[in-house]
Amino acid sequence: MQTSLTVPICVSRECCLIAMSDTIPTPHIELYVRSMLPDGAHERQEAVIDRLQTLDENDHIDGFNVIVWGKQIAPQSAAARTEEGTYILNRVAEFKQWALTNNVSLDSFYQDTTVDSEVAESAYDTMALPVMGLAEYDGNELVHVAPCTKGDVVHTIMDRLERLEAGQPPALDQERGGVSVV
């Protein structure tokens, strides 16, 4: 339930009425999906996108974007230096920083691996990207990434969408307050 308060703001001799809301701002969501899907993943991605559309229509979120990425990216490759590659690497770096700050693991989100190349007769590092990942922003501030793991608890994308629908903060926020909610 949203309520608002109108407050007069005066600058010099002119007054303007500004509506101020006392509700928590709704987040913007970025959903990252893999382009080449393993079996069964397409249906899960469709279910999440449908859920995001419903949350958006019911004003539980302030919109969402779906970003399509591949199976992996090699950080030292020519592809990583493209606009799209740089965007992915910057986002993953932002997610890693969020994870460090919140003392959570993103091992379920991405994995660094080394690939042996028979053609080049050498090895190179890659970052495997998840089939699906969610980033939640309040303005420009990253406030949640799913999936993530804290201790033995995995916080999934569907967990976060259910909490958004219920108007609840991320479960990680409640854990910090001494209550563990999954």
Side-chain angles (χ1 to χ4, degrees), residues 23-174:
T23 60
I24 298 171
T26 53
H28 181 82
I29 304 295
E30 290 182 357
L31 180 68
Y32 295 84
V33 296
R34 190 181 292 171
S35 59
M36 303 298 280
L37 303 172
D39 291 338
H42 178 74
E43 290 80 14
R44 289 192 314 269
Q45 285 181 355
E46 289 292 314
V48 168
I49 292 170
D50 287 344
R51 189 79 176 267
L52 285 168
Q53 287 173 332
T54 300
L55 289 169
D56 190 28
E57 290 165 3
N58 294 327
D59 295 326
H60 292 287
I61 61 173
D62 187 27
F64 68 96
N65 292 34
V66 176
I67 296 101
V68 179
W69 57 14
K71 181 178 180 180
Q72 63 188 15
I73 186 167
Q76 302 303 318
S77 69
R81 293 187 300 271
T82 65
E83 184 177 343
E84 293 80 6
T86 301
Y87 177 84
I88 290 169
L89 292 175
N90 286 341
R91 278 302 200 236
V92 170
E94 181 182 23
F95 301 159
K96 287 180 181 181
Q97 182 60 48
W98 174 87
L100 285 171
T101 301
N102 290 279
N103 197 29
V104 298
S105 169
L106 295 179
D107 288 344
S108 56
F109 194 85
Y110 70 91
Q111 296 173 343
D112 293 325
T113 59
T114 301
V115 176
D116 290 321
S117 171
E118 293 178 13
V119 175
E121 296 181 5
S122 64
Y124 60 94
D125 294 328
T126 67
M127 182 183 310
L129 301 169
V131 171
M132 194 165 31
L134 181 139
E136 177 181 340
Y137 289 87
D138 179 5
N140 290 329
E141 182 183 353
L142 179 63
V143 295
H144 190 72
V145 175
C148 67
T149 306
K150 178 127 184 173
D152 294 341
V153 179
V154 177
H155 298 275
T156 68
I157 292 170
M158 290 308 283
D159 293 337
R160 183 60 195 128
L161 296 181
E162 288 169 9
R163 293 181 66 79
L164 281 166
E165 187 173 36
Q168 299 174 337
L172 295 173
D173 291 351
Q174 288 194 341

